[in-house]
Amino acid sequence: MYFKRGSGAPRPRRGNRATPVLHMDYFEQVFVELRRHPEKIAIVRHNIAEFQAQPFLKKGLHTAIDRLLLVFEDNDDIELLYKQVMSDDVGQRVRRYPLIFKGIISPMVNAPDND
């Protein structure tokens, strides 16, 4: 129980926040792309290696990376990774760090060719 400073009234405890819909859409797009191009799982592994190479890493990011590495231990099963990232327990921490999946979705170039 937390108390507000200077009073005897308890401060409300902050509960788990839901991941915003916009972020969930991003992760859905990431996994659609990974299912289409399973070789892009190497990008996720590369991003994880880059984060691990940093000398000072946030504790939450370190925990998220450890949880993803447990999924990658056995194989590169995209469906298992999807279940872990989208779950409410493990995935909630991983979804806080979308940069782990940076480079999976290529930006669409809609510029017409003027050749």
Side-chain angles (χ1 to χ4, degrees):
M1 170 128 328
Y2 296 103
F3 290 94
K4 289 183 180 178
R5 200 177 296 186
S7 73
R11 185 169 57 181
R13 190 169 258 255
R14 185 169 50 143
N16 290 338
R17 290 188 225 170
T19 306
V21 175
L22 184 63
H23 292 188
M24 295 301 282
D25 289 343
Y26 170 75
F27 287 108
E28 288 290 342
Q29 290 173 6
V30 163
F31 283 102
V32 165
E33 187 68 19
L34 280 174
R35 287 182 188 112
R36 226 181 281 150
H37 304 286
E39 68 277 0
K40 287 190 174 186
I41 201 80
I43 296 172
V44 177
R45 287 182 176 271
H46 175 73
N47 290 343
I48 288 173
E50 279 188 359
F51 281 121
Q52 285 182 318
Q54 294 179 6
F56 302 104
L57 206 59
K58 285 181 162 183
K59 184 178 179 183
L61 179 56
H62 187 68
T63 304
I65 286 173
D66 287 344
R67 291 180 179 176
L68 282 179
L69 287 175
L70 287 174
V71 174
F72 285 137
E73 243 178 36
D74 294 332
N75 57 14
D76 290 340
D77 186 13
I78 294 170
E79 292 307 316
L80 180 61
L81 181 64
Y82 175 78
K83 287 177 187 173
Q84 291 294 317
V85 170
M86 296 311 228
S87 70
D88 286 337
D89 53 351
V90 174
Q92 193 169 16
R93 183 169 301 270
V94 174
R95 289 190 306 261
R96 288 184 199 158
Y97 303 101
L99 285 177
I100 293 173
F101 298 98
K102 180 179 115 181
I104 301 295
I105 301 175
S106 304
M108 301 287 278
V109 179
N110 294 329
D113 290 335
N114 291 333
D115 290 335

